[in-house]
Amino acid sequence: MGCPGLVGTGRVLRDSRGKVLCTFSDHIGIHDANMVEILAIARACELCVSRPELVGRDIAIVSDSKVAVSWVNNDGIGTLKHVQTIYDIRSHLRDMGQSLVIYNSRASNSVSNLLAKKWSDGYEDSLIWKDL
């Protein structure tokens, strides 16, 4: 919705077998594309840390942004506006144990894109946990 523009994110947390653990979509304000991707990774980390049964489990956070994944995985820190969020993500990843952030192409995340689009079409923020 423009760059920068009013944005929302949509994410799906899955276990190693692909089972959906949680879906969420939320409003994150007016940001550029890189900040949106970084904030989405941060939100996924926050959700994982908030659930004691997920702490210490092997978690892979998948993003379709090569730039955001690179910055989060210690290949720089983006611009000044990204620094604190990236450090927060790195801290959460350390707290989570054997967790990592990986890149996968946009074609692989159609559910996440649908959730983000629903938010931009006027839906409310949502957070739905499945049985863990």
Side-chain angles (χ1 to χ4, degrees), residues 66-85:
K66 284 183 182 180
V67 171
V69 170
S70 174
W71 289 343
V72 167
N73 288 327
N74 296 312
D75 295 332
I77 54 171
T79 65
L80 187 57
K81 67 182 174 182
H82 303 122
V83 172
Q84 187 60 54
T85 306

Side-chain angles (χ1 to χ4, degrees), residues 60-127:
I61 297 171
V62 181
S63 171
D64 63 6
S65 171
K66 284 183 182 180
V67 171
V69 170
S70 174
W71 289 343
V72 167
N73 288 327
N74 296 312
D75 295 332
I77 54 171
T79 65
L80 187 57
K81 67 182 174 182
H82 303 122
V83 172
Q84 187 60 54
T85 306
I86 290 171
Y87 282 138
D88 291 345
I89 291 168
R90 291 175 184 170
S91 176
H92 285 313
L93 290 170
R94 281 190 298 277
D95 293 344
M96 290 163 54
Q98 298 296 317
S99 300
L100 64 145
V101 178
I102 58 176
Y103 167 78
N104 204 342
S105 70
R106 182 163 300 195
S108 68
N109 66 358
S110 59
V111 174
S112 296
N113 288 333
L114 177 65
L115 290 168
K117 172 109 175 65
K118 282 185 150 210
W119 179 88
S120 67
D121 287 342
Y123 286 77
E124 297 292 321
D125 293 353
S126 72
L127 172 62

